[in-house]
Amino acid sequence: MIHDVVIIGGGPAGLAAAIYAGRAKLKGFVLEKMSPGGQVLVTDMVENYPGFMEPISGFELVEKFTAHAKRFGMPIETGEVERIEPVGDQFSLILTDERTITARSVIVATGATHRKLGVKGEQELTGRGVSYCATCDGPFFRDQVVAVVGGGDSAVQEAIFLTKFAKKVYVIHRRDELRAIKILQERAFANDKIDFVWDSIVEEIEGKDQVQAVKILNKKSGKQSRLEVDGVFIFIGIQPITDFVKGLVDTDERGFIKTDQWMRTSFKGIYAAGDCRQKPLLQIVTAVAEGATAAYAVEHDLA
Ligand SMILES: Cc1cc2nc3c(=O)[nH]c(=O)nc-3n(C[C@H](O)[C@H](O)[C@H](O)COP(=O)(O)OP(=O)(O)OC[C@H]3O[C@@H](n4cnc5c(N)ncnc54)[C@H](O)[C@@H]3O)c2cc1C
């Protein structure tokens, strides 16, 4: 069977594309390697998505997106795309379980994943105190001391969230001011449980079976120090999940897919939307807008 469109990724971009593709009566489905929702599933509260004046939990928002996509007849299937092979004017999607799916167009909405620090101890202690998800692991640190590495929106938002559980949260940031938006900064500065370690980078995470401390270098003074912590949460940015289309579509040097304003990539028939795409603002509201645009472009181009 040849599908009009297969949407790879069931995060906000993919689910919004599904709503628009479903309403346009395109034949196809969403392929998601895990549970639908993407990064929103690991977000505690969302307070900047239009229409939800009261903060809504990431989980609840995902439930609404998923139900909405299904309402217009777009199934969400489980599967991980390993590669895309162009065959004439169609595409073969090869899945990791060796299934092959044929489609006339493909929307890549595979989002992004956390960047790693790349220091000693990080990999060995992941799941043993090193985490990239405060919503998932925060409750394990009740009355303990944790460090958050980073200074952007996600780092500050998650540091505030962690104060619900931890007795002390150190935010270790390589600059002397935060990158996070002002409202988050104000909340963090007003929170007694949060202390800031400025101008500093983590050089090593120490611990045998569990995290015990982080070694810190102050970049301004050159002074090294050791901070005893039970957990380390790392939020230093994200990297796009686009390896599987490398060489097929144009990307920037960091791997983000380049598109035009219709979300068309450099390869005819392949579209990209959401965090995997090169753009200035990586948020739910932009991801859904691009998913909608990509589905509209597919409808237009197929017609
Ligand atoms: C901690 C945190 C807090 C955040 N807080 C906010 C906030 O308050 N407000 C806001 O607007 N934004 C927030 N964001 C950002 C927001 O979550 C993202 O911008 C948004 O989720 C991007 O949507 P997306 O659909 O492009 O990608 P994602 O949400 O990353 O979804 C991509 C999906 O594709 C799937 N996938 C990947 N590769 C494959 C493959 N090969 N085959 C099949 N499926 C695949 C993944 O499993 C995933 O489900 C936050 C992010 C984080 C990490």
Side-chain angles (χ1 to χ4, degrees):
M1 180 176 179
I2 302 168
H3 303 277
D4 292 327
V5 61
V6 171
I7 300 160
I8 311 175
L15 294 173
I19 293 170
Y20 277 72
R23 285 191 83 224
K25 301 278 177 210
L26 295 176
K27 297 268 174 298
F29 58 92
V30 177
L31 255 182
E32 167 56 53
K33 67 176 174 179
M34 298 193 291
S35 298
Q39 295 166 69
V40 186
L41 268 188
V42 300
T43 300
D44 174 37
M45 286 290 172
V46 176
E47 62 171 19
N48 55 2
Y49 190 69
F52 294 90
M53 272 182 296
E54 294 305 321
I56 179 168
S57 77
F59 185 79
E60 233 184 303
L61 188 58
V62 164
E63 275 190 338
K64 289 187 188 293
F65 282 174
T66 310
H68 204 161
K70 285 182 179 161
R71 177 163 177 244
F72 292 112
M74 270 275 150
I76 301 171
E77 302 203 354
T78 307
E80 178 173 2
V81 177
E82 197 170 72
R83 61 182 196 278
I84 302 174
E85 286 176 3
V87 184
D89 58 359
Q90 295 166 3
F91 300 96
S92 287
L93 274 61
I94 319 295
L95 274 56
T96 48
D97 61 13
E98 289 172 9
R99 274 183 293 160
T100 299
I101 292 160
T102 308
R104 298 167 70 198
S105 9
V106 180
I107 298 176
V108 179
T110 45
T113 186
H114 49 257
R115 265 184 57 213
K116 297 217 163 94
L117 272 178
V119 299
K120 197 172 162 209
E122 180 180 20
Q123 199 178 329
E124 300 84 326
L125 293 165
T126 293
R128 298 171 179 197
V130 173
S131 172
Y132 303 87
C133 175
T135 317
C136 324
D137 299 327
F140 296 122
F141 295 88
R142 208 169 282 279
D143 295 325
Q144 300 189 8
V145 179
V146 300
V148 166
V149 187
D153 284 350
S154 294
V156 176
Q157 185 174 324
E158 301 306 296
I160 295 167
F161 171 69
L162 284 166
T163 59
K164 285 189 194 174
F165 312 101
K167 64 178 180 199
K168 176 60 71 191
V169 178
Y170 291 102
V171 176
I172 304 170
H173 186 40
R174 63 194 165 123
R175 299 207 177 91
D176 60 2
E177 58 181 357
L178 298 171
R179 255 190 311 112
I181 53 162
K182 281 281 175 290
I183 191 166
L184 289 175
Q185 293 196 25
E186 282 166 16
R187 282 182 205 160
F189 292 141
N191 192 316
D192 290 342
K193 285 188 173 178
I194 300 180
D195 276 353
F196 292 88
V197 183
W198 301 112
D199 298 315
S200 298
I201 55 167
V202 171
E203 289 190 310
E204 185 181 337
I205 303 170
E206 294 180 351
K208 281 208 176 87
D209 299 325
Q210 271 307 128
V211 167
Q212 287 170 328
V214 282
K215 269 192 191 160
I216 296 170
L217 170 71
N218 184 304
K219 291 192 34 156
K220 268 196 183 149
S221 67
K223 209 180 127 202
Q224 282 180 311
S225 59
R226 188 173 179 273
L227 190 64
E228 289 197 1
V229 293
D230 305 292
V232 184
F233 288 82
I234 299 164
F235 303 105
I236 54 162
I238 60 169
Q239 60 190 50
I241 304 175
T242 54
D243 273 358
F244 70 105
V245 286
K246 223 178 195 168
L248 192 59
V249 300
D250 284 351
T251 62
D252 68 13
E253 65 287 351
R254 293 184 302 156
F256 289 95
I257 299 172
K258 294 181 179 177
T259 74
D260 66 9
Q261 60 174 348
W262 289 74
M263 308 303 137
R264 295 178 184 122
T265 69
S266 56
F267 201 107
K268 190 165 177 269
I270 302 181
Y271 305 74
D275 279 13
C276 62
R277 184 180 161 260
Q278 184 192 50
K279 58 172 176 172
L281 181 65
L282 283 75
Q283 289 277 280
I284 303 165
V285 72
T286 50
V288 297
E290 292 158 22
T293 308
Y296 178 66
V298 168
E299 183 195 0
H300 176 276
D301 292 349
L302 287 179

